[in-house]
């Protein structure tokens, strides 16, 4: 399950990874190998959040093992893709990851950098691994009825609170990190950097996602270096 | 190749593969990647600090669906190598610039790996029914190998760049300082824009603003 995105491609996304993860759970054919028709179906297009994809691995494997009609398996596959992606994106990418990133930076500044890094890793990976295990378990246990598990009150609660925690933690961390980095410079230089920051925020907010912060930073660095060479 | 370079390259492969294909345990978060790289080259504080600058850039990323995003973890490693043991305010600009170039190289590499995975799948897809599990296993392991090759290639090139860039320390202090301010300013601005884009919605914007107020209070103390 931890390698499910190993063969990520634009056409099938994690489809091949899903089939790779499902191999041990799929029914066998007469010769003792994996049922090839089921395996072929498993390798079709699939997209979901990687941490919650285990629910699909479990549910689809269970459906195949129970002899559910291929058309029903395909329907289940299609029905799981969107919700598993949306829940994972909200829970982890918009929520937990931003929360631990903010918390990690905050602790790195206020306590010690290694403390911040360790807290980031531990605070992220305990729920991360727990969700992976839960998803696979509940998927295989509930099979085609796995959708009911996604209405779990604890998960609903987490979906509400994770993005709030992410927003709050990042909000607290930003000014603290800004002061931590800028206090190494003179006051005038720090004010100049804040001016660059304000201009960057406006431009990136305006042009994103086609022209993100990294492109602007590289452009600004190029202009700075060339300007310094031309007008020393 | 010295032992330090070998350790750095090994760490870059771990960081590069953690980004998407293996685990996503967040070893590739710039704060972690930069700190460990800094420890390898003997300056964990500088590595962690420059990692934090990359962590700010990374707040602009929402890795959903087929979105392509820079490999900020590998970038932080390269930046940590550049800034280690040197006056931070004079080298952070050059270090971050080198790291951003590597981050973009990692992003392009990921795009090529995804395309190669798609092409390989298209060639073999019809034969999955014929060859069974071995075809799926080969496809999947080949995808992992491609990402490993990407990580090794970008990592090695990044280390060569980092070592070469240290020669840039000869640039005049004024340019170095200006570059530092531009890079740090861009990181802060990117983090602010990314945070408002992701969290500044009607639903969560209040939490972000509350956090900012608390953060300003802590910073003033």
């Amino acid at each position: 399950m931890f390698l499910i995105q190993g063969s990520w491609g634009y056409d099938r996304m994690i489809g091949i990874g899903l089939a790779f993860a499902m191999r041990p759970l799929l029914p066998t054919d007469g010769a003792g190998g994996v049922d090839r028709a089921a395996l072929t179906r498993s390798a079709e297009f699939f997209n979901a959040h990687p941490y919650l994809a285990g629910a699909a691995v479990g549910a689809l494997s269970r459906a195949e093992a129970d002899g559910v009609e291929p058309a029903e398996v395909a329907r289940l596959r299609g029905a799981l893709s969107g919700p598993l992606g949306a829940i994972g994106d909200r829970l982890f990418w918009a929520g937990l990851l931003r929360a631990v990133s903010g918390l990690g930076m905050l602790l790195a500044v206020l306590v010690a950098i290694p403390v911040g890094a360790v807290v980031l890793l531990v605070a992220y990976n305990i729920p991360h691994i727990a969700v992976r295990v839960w998803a696979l378990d509940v998927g295989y246990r509930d099979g085609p009825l796995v959708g009911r598990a996604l209405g779990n009150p604890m998960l609903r609660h987490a979906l509400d609170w994770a993005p709030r925690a992410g927003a709050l933690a990042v909000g607290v961390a930003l000014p603290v990190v800004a002061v931590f980095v800028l206090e190494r410079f003179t006051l005038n230089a720090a004010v100049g950097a804040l001016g660059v920051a304000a201009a960057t925020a406006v431009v990136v907010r305006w042009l994103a996602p086609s022209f993100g912060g990294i492109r602007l930073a590289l452009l600004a660095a190029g202009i700075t270096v060339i300007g310094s060479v031309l007008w020393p | 190749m010295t032992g330090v370079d070998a350790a750095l390259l090994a760490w870059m492969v771990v960081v590069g593969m953690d980004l998407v294909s293996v685990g996503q345990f967040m070893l590739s978060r710039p704060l972690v990647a930069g700190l460990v790289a800094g420890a390898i080259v003997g300056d964990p504080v500088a590595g962690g600090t420059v990692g934090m600058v990359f962590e700010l850039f990374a707040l602009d990323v929402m890795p959903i669906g087929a979105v392509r995003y820079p490999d900020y973890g590998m970038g932080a490693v390269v930046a940590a190598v550049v800034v280690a043991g040197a006056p931070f305010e004079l080298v952070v600009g050059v270090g971050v610039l080198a790291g951003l170039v590597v981050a973009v190289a990692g992003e392009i590499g990921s795009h090529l790996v995804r395309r190669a995975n798609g092409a390989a799948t298209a060639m073999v897809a019809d034969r999955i029914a014929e060859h069974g599990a071995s075809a799926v296993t080969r496809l999947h392991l080949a995808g992992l190998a491609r990402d490993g090759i990407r990580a090794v290639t970008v990592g090695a090139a990044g280390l060569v760049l980092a070592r070469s860039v240290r020669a840039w320390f000869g640039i005049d202090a004024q340019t170095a300082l200006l570059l530092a301010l531009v890079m740090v300013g861009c990181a802060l601005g990117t983090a602010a824009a990314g945070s408002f884009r992701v969290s500044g919605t009607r639903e969560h914007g209040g939490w972000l603003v509350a956090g900012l107020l608390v953060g300003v209070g802590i910073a003033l103390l």
Side-chain angles (χ1 to χ4, degrees), chain A residues 2 7 10 36 51 98 101, chain B residues 23-24 55 59 111 130 140:
Chain A
F2 288 108
S7 51
Y10 288 114
R36 294 182 179 190
Y51 300 171
R98 302 182 86 76
S101 173
Chain B
Q24 292 190 304
E55 193 75 35
L59 287 176
H111 172 61
E130 187 185 335
H140 196 65

Side-chain angles (χ1 to χ4, degrees), chain A residues 22 26-27 35 37-38 41-42 59-68 70 73:
Chain A
M22 284 173 66
L26 286 174
D35 181 334
R41 284 193 291 276
S42 307
L60 293 169
S61 302
R62 182 63 183 269
E64 294 284 4
D66 289 350
V68 173
V73 174

